[in-house]
């Protein structure tokens, strides 16, 4: 089961949502079998209706399944309805899914007979000596030429175990074979499948709620950010209101890190290409890097990572064991190539700011340093309203650098930190990077979606490549351990998640405009009082505006509601006389008349506590 640390629900200003609760009840392992089986049923239905379609791959996904097809004609909405109807017929047929083992020669002959070229490529990718299996829909001893596909499973026992009222086909999208744009373009049909119709309805409700919370629409409506086509795709323009929020987030991040023993560094946006060759990025990460530029007969590479830069600072001085651990943090903007079809708002861009930090420590310090990162991650994420986490520990892969001994020590250090923290976790066996094991933390938002956020990675590779050293207590030179960690992941993506979590209804401390003062009429005395209150608030650091539009009060209130401003202060002659404000908030509604200085103090307290009003 997925390990989740359950604390208070995120986004306290929002009611708990029934769809989220229903979806949590689903048996995840059983869902994988349902969805994988559904993908095969869908492929069978497609080839029954469209025999010319060639199949490729069809895995289960986090919320459903998909299958890629090679077909000249595009699938239409009417086609999806016909496919869904045929799938229900196959489900009702209630045939077993039968696993069979074959020799490479036997299965190759069967594939050639079917004229399925993509299956041949998949067969060629299976390592020699590995068992080759296929799954048929229907017992091959009872049915002539049952539909089948190369597959390792697992599946349900029969198609009849799929609830015909608990799946749906969602959409069709383009996809390149094996994700390579040089290969054939395929058609990917997406679907979702659940145990019960109630879960499917909850999923549909979640999808509708997700549309309402789309950070791209909210970002446009609240004038927070934009992606300017004239400048190129995947580059974020932060508008004044979005920049206010970004600065708040950055300031909090910096102050919190300094308070927790980090020093801040700043590094360039590019470096000589030789640095990226030394780090290995030019070999292993080339496809995600922009092309190098030539300057005075030398090639420079715009940075995809901050890591080598921090290492160069480290190597500028020979360090003693007494100085370790060294913790350096940077909000460093990096640039990575993303195909135009893969970019999505703030979630996937070409230029983004990593909340990067690197810790250089001894082997003995690993566990305590990792625990410190977990504590800091919880502090920062919970401050922004995220308190439910899925934690994964990824261990040694088949191909790796470093000794087995150091891998075991690093993995034990990660486990020890998680156990000391009291967090349950799921082990992803073999899922570590080639240079070290890692911890990944996914945060759960207000509607139950999980987003990959914080990462803690132990690295043996870069210290070796860069010949990093420190002088130990024995007077000899030793290799430090390097820990990479990012808590937001990237500022842009985290901002997108944050926006969708709150649906733009940000708590007072984060809101770009915290209060709007609204005069009931254009009486000069009322307007003068509103301006004087605004001046007091601004001097104390509050972000406040006076509505000077001249619109009727009802329209001013409606405008403030549309802009999701947390606090509205209505001012009339009585408020002027009593030196008070009539307060309305988005979270608590009408609070009545409050003395002006008391209202200001309440706002300041809420900001200090990172809260709503």
């Amino acid at each position: 089961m997925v390990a989740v640390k359950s604390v208070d629900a995120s986004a306290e200003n929002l009611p708990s949502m029934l769809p989220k609760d229903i979806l949590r009840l689903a048996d995840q392992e059983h869902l994988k079998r349902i969805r994988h089986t559904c993908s095969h049923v869908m492929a069978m239905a497609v080839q029954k209706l469209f025999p010319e379609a060639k199949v490729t791959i069809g895995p289960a996904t986090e919320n459903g399944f998909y299958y890629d097809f090679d077909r000249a004609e595009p699938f239409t909405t009417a086609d999806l309805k016909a496919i869904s109807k045929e799938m229900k017929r196959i489900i009702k047929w209630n045939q077993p899914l039968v696993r069979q083992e074959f020799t490479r020669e036997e299965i190759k002959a069967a594939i050639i007979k079917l004229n399925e070229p993509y299956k041949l490529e998949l067969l060629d990718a299976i390592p020699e000596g590995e068992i080759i299996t296929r799954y048929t829909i229907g017992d091959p001893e009872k049915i002539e030429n049952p539909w089948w596909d190369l597959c390792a499973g697992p599946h349900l026992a029969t198609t009849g175990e799929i609830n015909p009222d608990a799946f749906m086909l969602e959409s069709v999208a383009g996809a390149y074979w094996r994700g390579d744009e040089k290969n054939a373009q395929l058609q990917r049909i997406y679907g979702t499948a659940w145990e019960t119709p109630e879960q499917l309805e909850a999923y549909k409700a979640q999808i509708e709620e997700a549309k309402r919370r789309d950070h791209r629409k909210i970002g446009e409506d609240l004038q927070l950010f934009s992606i300017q086509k004239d400048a190129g795709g995947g580059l974020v323009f932060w508008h004044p209101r979005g920049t206010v929020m970004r600065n708040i987030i950055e300031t909090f991040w910096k102050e919190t890190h300094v308070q927790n023993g980090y020093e801040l560094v700043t590094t360039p946006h590019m470096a000589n290409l030789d640095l990226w060759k030394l780090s290995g990025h030019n070999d292993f990460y080339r496809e995600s890097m922009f092309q190098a530029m030539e300057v005075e007969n030398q090639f420079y590479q715009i940075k995809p990572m901050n890591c080598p830069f921090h290492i160069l600072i480290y190597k500028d001085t020979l360090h003693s064991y007494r100085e370790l651990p060294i913790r350096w943090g940077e909000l460093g903007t990096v640039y990575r190539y993303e195909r135009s079809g893969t970019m999505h708002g703030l979630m996937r861009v070409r230029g983004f700011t990593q909340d990067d930090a690197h810790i250089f420590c001894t082997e003995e310090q690993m566990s305590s340093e990792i625990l410190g990162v977990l504590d800091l991650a919880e502090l920062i994420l919970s401050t922004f309203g995220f308190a439910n986490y899925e934690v994964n520990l990824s261990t040694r892969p088949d191909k790796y650098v470093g000794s087995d001994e150091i891998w075991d020590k690093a993995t034990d250090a990660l486990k020890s930190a998680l156990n000391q923290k009291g967090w349950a976790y799921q082990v992803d066996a073999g899922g570590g990077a080639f240079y070290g094991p890692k911890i990944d933390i996914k945060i759960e938002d207000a509607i139950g979606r999980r987003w990959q956020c914080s990462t803690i990675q132990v690295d043996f590779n870069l210290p070796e490549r860069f010949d990093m050293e420190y002088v130990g207590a024995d007077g000899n030179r030793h290799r430090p351990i390097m820990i990479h960690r990012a808590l937001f992941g990237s500022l842009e993506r985290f901002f997108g998640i944050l926006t969708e979590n709150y649906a733009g209804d940000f708590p007072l401390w984060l809101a770009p405009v915290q209060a709007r003062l609204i005069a009931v009429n254009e009486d000069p005395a009322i307007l003068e009082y509103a301006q004087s209150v605004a001046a007091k608030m601004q001097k104390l650091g509050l972000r406040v505006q006076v509505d000077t539009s001249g619109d009727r009060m009802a329209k001013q209130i409606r405008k403030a509601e549309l802009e999701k401003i947390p606090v509205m202060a209505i001012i009339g002659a009585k408020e002027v006389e009593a030196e008070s404000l009539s307060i309305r908030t988005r979270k608590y509604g009408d609070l009545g008349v409050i003395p002006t200085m008391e209202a200001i103090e309440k706002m300041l307290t809420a900001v200090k506590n990172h809260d709503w009003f």
Side-chain angles (χ1 to χ4, degrees):
M1 294 294 290
V2 173
V4 178
K5 177 179 181 287
S6 296
V7 196
D8 295 330
S10 61
E12 294 177 8
N13 62 326
L14 298 169
S16 59
M17 301 187 69
L18 183 60
K20 177 173 66 174
D21 298 332
I22 292 175
L23 296 180
R24 279 176 175 161
L25 297 176
D27 183 333
Q28 296 300 317
E29 290 303 317
H30 187 51
L31 279 181
K32 289 179 183 178
R33 292 176 182 269
I34 290 173
R35 290 165 178 169
H36 199 169
T37 305
C38 245
S39 73
H40 279 221
V41 170
M42 179 177 73
M44 178 179 175
V46 167
Q47 292 199 306
K48 276 185 169 291
L49 296 172
F50 310 99
E52 76 282 7
K54 304 299 181 186
V55 298
T56 60
I57 58 171
T61 63
E62 183 178 358
N63 289 314
F65 59 91
Y66 70 79
Y67 224 108
D68 289 346
F69 301 93
D70 188 347
R71 179 173 179 254
E73 293 297 318
F75 290 112
T76 65
T77 301
D79 291 337
L80 292 189
K81 290 180 179 178
I83 295 166
S84 181
K85 184 177 179 180
E86 181 63 23
M87 287 176 68
K88 291 184 178 181
R89 193 191 68 79
I90 296 169
I91 291 169
K92 187 176 180 181
W93 191 30
N94 193 24
Q95 289 297 304
L97 282 96
V98 180
R99 179 182 180 275
Q100 295 177 296
E101 294 183 9
F102 288 86
T103 66
R104 189 174 296 271
E105 292 72 22
E106 289 172 336
I107 201 69
K108 184 174 183 178
I111 293 172
I112 292 173
K113 184 178 179 181
L114 281 179
N115 188 26
E116 290 282 9
Y118 296 99
K119 289 183 194 281
L120 282 178
E121 286 195 46
L122 292 171
L123 176 64
D124 290 341
I126 298 175
E128 289 291 338
E130 189 169 311
I131 295 174
I132 298 172
T133 61
R134 79 175 191 185
Y135 276 82
T136 65
I137 295 179
D139 188 339
E141 294 185 2
K142 298 178 180 179
I143 298 175
E144 186 177 357
N145 298 324
W147 188 92
W148 61 270
D149 199 3
L150 287 173
C151 186
H155 289 280
L156 299 172
T158 71
T159 61
E161 292 183 32
I162 300 171
N163 189 319
D165 297 320
F167 84 89
M168 70 174 183
L169 302 185
E170 297 181 279
S171 61
V172 182
Y176 290 105
W177 171 233
R178 290 185 165 174
D180 189 338
E181 57 191 7
K182 296 176 182 177
N183 291 336
Q185 186 166 26
L186 309 173
Q187 295 185 70
R188 177 171 295 177
I189 299 180
Y190 286 99
T192 188
W194 299 85
E195 296 170 308
T196 66
E198 290 76 18
Q199 290 173 3
L200 177 60
E201 290 305 312
Y203 172 74
K204 290 179 181 179
Q206 186 187 64
I207 294 299
E208 288 304 310
E209 183 63 20
K211 290 178 182 177
R212 186 181 75 84
R213 293 167 178 267
D214 191 322
H215 73 281
R216 295 168 297 179
K217 179 68 165 59
I218 292 173
E220 180 182 348
D221 291 344
L222 300 186
Q223 300 177 38
L224 301 176
F225 67 89
S226 62
I227 308 292
Q228 297 290 335
K229 292 181 180 179
D230 291 343
L235 302 173
V236 182
F237 286 72
W238 293 87
H239 295 210
R241 289 186 178 186
T243 300
V244 166
M245 294 186 67
R246 178 180 173 131
N247 286 339
I248 294 167
I249 295 169
E250 288 187 355
T251 299
F252 172 75
W253 187 93
K254 291 176 182 178
E255 291 176 350
T256 304
H257 276 73
V258 170
Q259 291 164 6
N260 283 271
Y262 286 76
E263 296 176 296
L264 304 182
V265 297
T266 304
T267 59
H269 286 247
M270 66 176 68
N272 193 295
L273 183 60
D274 289 341
L275 179 67
W276 306 105
K277 291 179 179 178
L278 176 59
S279 69
H281 288 97
N282 195 61
D283 293 328
F284 301 111
Y285 209 71
R286 179 70 253 171
E287 63 182 20
S288 296
M289 295 163 62
F290 284 98
Q291 290 184 354
M293 63 188 80
E294 187 175 1
V295 180
E296 296 180 346
N297 298 319
Q298 289 190 322
F299 284 94
Y300 283 78
Q301 176 66 55
I302 194 165
K303 67 176 178 180
M305 305 269 191
N306 299 301
C307 331
F309 291 58
H310 294 188
I311 291 172
L312 291 184
I313 297 175
Y314 179 94
K315 284 177 63 66
D316 207 40
T317 305
L318 179 61
H319 298 278
S320 163
Y321 73 96
R322 293 186 177 90
E323 299 173 65
L324 303 185
I326 291 172
R327 309 181 191 99
W328 285 336
E330 176 180 16
L331 291 167
T333 301
V334 299
Y335 303 87
R336 298 180 188 173
Y337 171 67
E338 299 282 358
R339 294 195 304 273
S340 57
T342 64
M343 292 181 291
H344 178 80
L346 297 180
M347 302 304 192
R348 196 160 183 176
V349 292
R350 287 176 172 163
F352 57 91
T353 303
Q354 281 191 313
D355 66 313
D356 221 347
H358 296 95
I359 300 171
F360 306 101
C361 64
T362 66
E363 290 180 20
E364 295 74 23
Q365 293 169 334
M366 271 194 296
S367 182
S368 60
E369 286 305 302
I370 293 164
L371 178 60
V373 174
L374 295 178
D375 288 339
L376 187 57
E378 183 177 36
L379 170 63
I380 288 179
L381 296 176
S382 63
T383 299
F384 287 95
F386 300 103
N388 293 348
Y389 316 124
E390 175 189 316
V391 183
N392 293 280
L393 170 64
S394 300
T395 59
R396 182 169 54 215
D398 292 334
K399 296 181 179 179
Y400 59 92
V401 298
S403 67
D404 289 351
E405 180 184 6
I406 193 63
W407 266 89
D408 291 341
K409 286 182 178 180
T411 304
D412 288 343
L414 292 171
K415 289 180 179 178
S416 175
L418 287 169
N419 291 333
Q420 289 181 70
K421 187 65 182 167
W423 283 2
Y425 59 91
Q426 178 173 285
V427 175
D428 178 13
F434 74 94
Y435 53 78
K438 63 176 181 172
I439 292 172
D440 288 321
I441 300 173
K442 294 182 180 180
I443 57 177
E444 184 179 289
D445 70 10
I447 60 174
R449 297 172 299 178
R450 290 176 184 149
W451 303 88
Q452 173 59 50
C453 202
S454 306
T455 299
I456 307 163
Q457 299 177 327
V458 180
D459 188 351
F460 318 126
N461 179 52
L462 288 181
E464 188 71 29
R465 277 180 172 269
F466 281 88
D467 194 26
M468 299 176 69
E469 295 180 328
Y470 69 90
V471 178
D474 58 3
N476 295 323
R477 303 289 180 93
H478 299 272
R479 191 81 71 209
I481 298 295
M482 184 176 185
I483 300 174
H484 306 251
R485 42 116 301 191
L487 305 184
F488 294 147
S490 83
L491 202 60
E492 285 74 10
R493 188 168 181 273
F494 185 76
F495 191 89
I497 296 168
L498 197 66
T499 301
E500 296 199 3
N501 182 65
Y502 290 117
D505 269 314
F506 300 109
L508 188 71
W509 75 284
L510 274 177
V513 178
Q514 295 170 318
R516 175 80 49 83
L517 306 185
I518 297 173
V520 298
N521 56 47
E522 294 189 28
D523 184 327
I526 294 175
L527 293 174
E528 182 180 349
Y529 180 71
Q531 294 291 357
S532 69
V533 170
K536 288 178 183 178
M537 289 181 169
Q538 289 163 351
K539 282 185 178 180
L540 292 170
L542 296 172
R543 299 181 293 278
V544 61
Q545 297 175 340
V546 178
D547 190 321
T548 57
S549 64
D551 292 329
R552 291 183 297 109
M553 183 178 68
K555 188 173 182 179
Q556 291 182 41
I557 291 172
R558 177 59 178 159
K559 182 181 177 183
E561 288 175 342
L562 290 174
E563 294 179 18
K564 302 181 186 292
I565 294 173
V567 177
M568 283 182 280
I570 314 300
I571 302 173
K574 291 182 179 179
E575 284 76 20
V576 174
E577 184 179 353
E579 295 188 352
S580 61
L581 301 170
S582 181
I583 299 293
R584 296 185 184 185
T585 70
R586 288 187 64 80
K587 181 173 175 64
Y588 300 111
D590 192 345
L591 301 184
V593 177
I594 300 175
T596 297
M597 290 312 299
E598 182 182 335
I600 292 174
E601 288 298 326
K602 284 180 178 292
M603 290 182 67
L604 291 172
T605 298
V607 171
K608 181 180 178 181
N609 294 334
H610 303 120
D611 206 347
W612 281 265
F613 182 76

